[in-house]
PDB file of all heavy atoms in Angstrom:
ATOM      1  N   GLY A 187     -14.757  -2.050   8.590  1.00 91.00           N
ATOM      2  CA  GLY A 187     -16.094  -1.519   8.436  1.00 91.00           C
ATOM      3  C   GLY A 187     -16.169  -0.110   7.899  1.00 91.00           C
ATOM      4  O   GLY A 187     -17.248   0.490   7.896  1.00 91.00           O
ATOM      5  N   ILE A 188     -15.073   0.447   7.428  1.00 95.00           N
ATOM      6  CA  ILE A 188     -15.079   1.806   6.890  1.00 95.00           C
ATOM      7  C   ILE A 188     -15.804   1.821   5.539  1.00 95.00           C
ATOM      8  O   ILE A 188     -15.586   0.960   4.686  1.00 95.00           O
ATOM      9  CB  ILE A 188     -13.644   2.341   6.744  1.00 95.00           C
ATOM     10  CG1 ILE A 188     -13.061   2.651   8.122  1.00 95.00           C
ATOM     11  CG2 ILE A 188     -13.596   3.579   5.858  1.00 95.00           C
ATOM     12  CD1 ILE A 188     -11.630   3.138   8.090  1.00 95.00           C
ATOM     13  N   ILE A 189     -16.669   2.809   5.347  1.00 96.00           N
ATOM     14  CA  ILE A 189     -17.368   2.991   4.081  1.00 96.00           C
ATOM     15  C   ILE A 189     -16.578   3.985   3.237  1.00 96.00           C
ATOM     16  O   ILE A 189     -16.490   5.182   3.572  1.00 96.00           O
ATOM     17  CB  ILE A 189     -18.805   3.493   4.320  1.00 96.00           C
ATOM     18  CG1 ILE A 189     -19.571   2.502   5.204  1.00 96.00           C
ATOM     19  CG2 ILE A 189     -19.528   3.689   2.980  1.00 96.00           C
ATOM     20  CD1 ILE A 189     -20.940   2.990   5.622  1.00 96.00           C
ATOM     21  N   PHE A 190     -16.007   3.509   2.151  1.00 97.00           N
ATOM     22  CA  PHE A 190     -15.071   4.326   1.378  1.00 97.00           C
ATOM     23  C   PHE A 190     -15.688   5.635   0.901  1.00 97.00           C
ATOM     24  O   PHE A 190     -15.044   6.682   0.945  1.00 97.00           O
ATOM     25  CB  PHE A 190     -14.560   3.521   0.177  1.00 97.00           C
ATOM     26  CG  PHE A 190     -13.411   2.604   0.501  1.00 97.00           C
ATOM     27  CD1 PHE A 190     -13.366   1.915   1.701  1.00 97.00           C
ATOM     28  CD2 PHE A 190     -12.369   2.431  -0.398  1.00 97.00           C
ATOM     29  CE1 PHE A 190     -12.311   1.070   2.002  1.00 97.00           C
ATOM     30  CE2 PHE A 190     -11.306   1.586  -0.102  1.00 97.00           C
ATOM     31  CZ  PHE A 190     -11.283   0.904   1.098  1.00 97.00           C
ATOM     32  N   ARG A 191     -16.918   5.606   0.410  1.00 96.00           N
ATOM     33  CA  ARG A 191     -17.495   6.809  -0.191  1.00 96.00           C
ATOM     34  C   ARG A 191     -18.002   7.802   0.848  1.00 96.00           C
ATOM     35  O   ARG A 191     -18.346   8.935   0.501  1.00 96.00           O
ATOM     36  CB  ARG A 191     -18.611   6.432  -1.166  1.00 96.00           C
ATOM     37  CG  ARG A 191     -19.817   5.773  -0.546  1.00 96.00           C
ATOM     38  CD  ARG A 191     -20.725   5.178  -1.627  1.00 96.00           C
ATOM     39  NE  ARG A 191     -21.085   6.165  -2.622  1.00 96.00           N
ATOM     40  CZ  ARG A 191     -22.159   6.948  -2.544  1.00 96.00           C
ATOM     41  NH1 ARG A 191     -22.953   6.861  -1.491  1.00 96.00           N
ATOM     42  NH2 ARG A 191     -22.430   7.800  -3.502  1.00 96.00           N
ATOM     43  N   GLN A 192     -18.046   7.402   2.114  1.00 97.00           N
ATOM     44  CA  GLN A 192     -18.521   8.300   3.162  1.00 97.00           C
ATOM     45  C   GLN A 192     -17.436   8.703   4.160  1.00 97.00           C
ATOM     46  O   GLN A 192     -17.501   9.796   4.724  1.00 97.00           O
ATOM     47  CB  GLN A 192     -19.675   7.638   3.934  1.00 97.00           C
ATOM     48  CG  GLN A 192     -20.916   7.384   3.095  1.00 97.00           C
ATOM     49  CD  GLN A 192     -22.020   6.703   3.879  1.00 97.00           C
ATOM     50  OE1 GLN A 192     -21.916   6.514   5.092  1.00 97.00           O
ATOM     51  NE2 GLN A 192     -23.083   6.309   3.199  1.00 97.00           N
ATOM     52  N   GLN A 193     -16.459   7.828   4.385  1.00 97.00           N
ATOM     53  CA  GLN A 193     -15.475   8.081   5.440  1.00 97.00           C
ATOM     54  C   GLN A 193     -14.062   8.347   4.934  1.00 97.00           C
ATOM     55  O   GLN A 193     -13.232   8.865   5.677  1.00 97.00           O
ATOM     56  CB  GLN A 193     -15.457   6.894   6.411  1.00 97.00           C
ATOM     57  CG  GLN A 193     -16.757   6.712   7.178  1.00 97.00           C
ATOM     58  CD  GLN A 193     -16.720   5.482   8.048  1.00 97.00           C
ATOM     59  OE1 GLN A 193     -17.189   4.415   7.671  1.00 97.00           O
ATOM     60  NE2 GLN A 193     -16.138   5.614   9.237  1.00 97.00           N
ATOM     61  N   LEU A 194     -13.778   8.005   3.698  1.00 98.00           N
ATOM     62  CA  LEU A 194     -12.476   8.282   3.089  1.00 98.00           C
ATOM     63  C   LEU A 194     -12.707   9.273   1.960  1.00 98.00           C
ATOM     64  O   LEU A 194     -13.101   8.896   0.855  1.00 98.00           O
ATOM     65  CB  LEU A 194     -11.837   7.000   2.553  1.00 98.00           C
ATOM     66  CG  LEU A 194     -11.722   5.829   3.528  1.00 98.00           C
ATOM     67  CD1 LEU A 194     -11.176   4.600   2.807  1.00 98.00           C
ATOM     68  CD2 LEU A 194     -10.836   6.182   4.717  1.00 98.00           C
ATOM     69  N   LEU A 195     -12.469  10.549   2.226  1.00 98.00           N
ATOM     70  CA  LEU A 195     -12.854  11.598   1.299  1.00 98.00           C
ATOM     71  C   LEU A 195     -11.625  12.273   0.696  1.00 98.00           C
ATOM     72  O   LEU A 195     -10.754  12.760   1.424  1.00 98.00           O
ATOM     73  CB  LEU A 195     -13.719  12.633   2.023  1.00 98.00           C
ATOM     74  CG  LEU A 195     -14.966  12.061   2.723  1.00 98.00           C
ATOM     75  CD1 LEU A 195     -15.702  13.159   3.475  1.00 98.00           C
ATOM     76  CD2 LEU A 195     -15.879  11.369   1.723  1.00 98.00           C
ATOM     77  N   LEU A 196     -11.574  12.301  -0.629  1.00 98.00           N
ATOM     78  CA  LEU A 196     -10.472  12.930  -1.345  1.00 98.00           C
ATOM     79  C   LEU A 196     -10.904  14.303  -1.831  1.00 98.00           C
ATOM     80  O   LEU A 196     -12.010  14.462  -2.356  1.00 98.00           O
ATOM     81  CB  LEU A 196     -10.049  12.066  -2.540  1.00 98.00           C
ATOM     82  CG  LEU A 196      -9.708  10.606  -2.224  1.00 98.00           C
ATOM     83  CD1 LEU A 196      -9.355   9.871  -3.517  1.00 98.00           C
ATOM     84  CD2 LEU A 196      -8.566  10.522  -1.225  1.00 98.00           C
ATOM     85  N   HIS A 197     -10.025  15.291  -1.671  1.00 97.00           N
ATOM     86  CA  HIS A 197     -10.336  16.649  -2.097  1.00 97.00           C
ATOM     87  C   HIS A 197      -9.744  16.917  -3.478  1.00 97.00           C
ATOM     88  O   HIS A 197      -8.916  16.146  -3.983  1.00 97.00           O
ATOM     89  CB  HIS A 197      -9.825  17.644  -1.068  1.00 97.00           C
ATOM     90  CG  HIS A 197     -10.391  17.393   0.302  1.00 97.00           C
ATOM     91  ND1 HIS A 197     -11.725  17.589   0.604  1.00 97.00           N
ATOM     92  CD2 HIS A 197      -9.812  16.930   1.438  1.00 97.00           C
ATOM     93  CE1 HIS A 197     -11.946  17.269   1.869  1.00 97.00           C
ATOM     94  NE2 HIS A 197     -10.800  16.871   2.398  1.00 97.00           N
ATOM     95  N   GLU A 198     -10.141  18.000  -4.078  1.00 96.00           N
ATOM     96  CA  GLU A 198      -9.725  18.304  -5.437  1.00 96.00           C
ATOM     97  C   GLU A 198      -8.212  18.496  -5.527  1.00 96.00           C
ATOM     98  O   GLU A 198      -7.593  19.070  -4.636  1.00 96.00           O
ATOM     99  CB  GLU A 198     -10.444  19.555  -5.941  1.00 96.00           C
ATOM    100  CG  GLU A 198     -11.947  19.371  -6.107  1.00 96.00           C
ATOM    101  CD  GLU A 198     -12.611  20.570  -6.735  1.00 96.00           C
ATOM    102  OE1 GLU A 198     -11.883  21.504  -7.137  1.00 96.00           O
ATOM    103  OE2 GLU A 198     -13.852  20.577  -6.834  1.00 96.00           O
TER     104      GLU A 198
END
Side-chain angles (χ1 to χ4, degrees):
I188 288 178
I189 302 173
F190 277 38
R191 65 192 306 270
Q192 296 179 6
Q193 295 176 264
L194 307 175
L195 305 177
L196 306 178
H197 303 292
E198 294 186 6

